[in-house]
Amino acid sequence: MRTRWMGVALLLLAAALATGAEAAEQRAFALEDPVTLYAKPDKGAKSWEASLPESGVSVPSAIRDKQDMLWYKVKVDGKTGWLFQEGIRLKMGPKSKSAVNIYKRYVAARRKIAGKAPKNWTQQESTPVEGAEVETWSTSGAVLQTLGEGPKAEDVYFKTNSAEACKTFLGFEAIGMSKDELRTKVGTPTVRETPSGEPEVSILSYEFADGDMTLAFTLRSQIVEQAELYKGSTGEADTDWPVEVLNLRSLD
């Protein structure tokens, strides 16, 4: 009997490990093509150019160098190499339940602004978009947009570089937090990326577990400097919106 239960336990453990491995799989996607692969996680190492498939490539391991920059170990066209973080989008974790809870706080705060435009908030001129209108409200260090007005308004965009605005809309002062503090608060991001030409910048994005929205934090040298909430998946904040709407998103 003991042997039988040991066998069952081993099977359960194997299943748990398999599930964990699947859930923890990370995949790298190129923001620009081609990418440079290095024989070692060192820019002085032998290198070659390669194109990543649209489906991305698996990242079995990653390390940080002495400058605290990330390197991703990948295999492309049968050849193993290392990708530097710059210009790479890394899918890290599942959709975020934490972001959904933060969004509930945001909606309550946004309705107060849109309902009576309190002091220091300015409502901009409405922008027509496909039979509806985008409404924009702004204040020092924050801007928000909805499609339509009233209880049925659809959230489109929010951005801030103000700790006070973060506290009001998100429930905590994200601006100035370290990467570790942010991840302790919000959890593992769905996506991490570093824009091309900005190796010191990282964007941690939390895609909603239910609904087509994303909560994103921009960090410079591992410190949060901006928070965004927008309709769509990672990187789609500007997708399909006219320039008139995008121009109203700048912060004072």
Side-chain angles (χ1 to χ4, degrees), residues 101-122:
N101 292 331
I102 292 171
Y103 177 59
K104 293 176 182 177
R105 166 72 179 243
Y106 171 81
V107 170
R110 184 263 296 163
R111 284 177 176 169
K112 290 181 181 179
I113 300 296
K116 56 182 180 180
K119 184 180 179 181
N120 299 328
W121 281 86
T122 301

Side-chain angles (χ1 to χ4, degrees), residues 19 33 40 119 132 215 244:
T19 301
D33 186 70
K40 298 187 296 184
K119 184 180 179 181
L215 176 64
E244 293 82 4

Side-chain angles (χ1 to χ4, degrees), residues 118-179:
K119 184 180 179 181
N120 299 328
W121 281 86
T122 301
Q123 183 173 6
Q124 308 295 333
E125 186 175 347
S126 301
T127 307
V129 177
E130 296 182 357
E133 290 189 333
V134 171
E135 307 293 341
T136 302
W137 287 263
S138 61
T139 189
S140 178
V143 61
L144 67 85
Q145 292 180 322
T146 63
L147 190 62
E149 291 185 293
K152 294 185 178 180
E154 182 180 347
D155 287 303
V156 169
Y157 188 76
F158 169 73
K159 177 168 66 175
T160 183
N161 58 14
S162 160
E164 182 180 354
C166 273
K167 179 69 174 178
T168 299
F169 287 93
L170 306 183
F172 65 104
E173 297 181 3
I175 306 302
M177 273 187 168
S178 69
K179 169 181 64 69

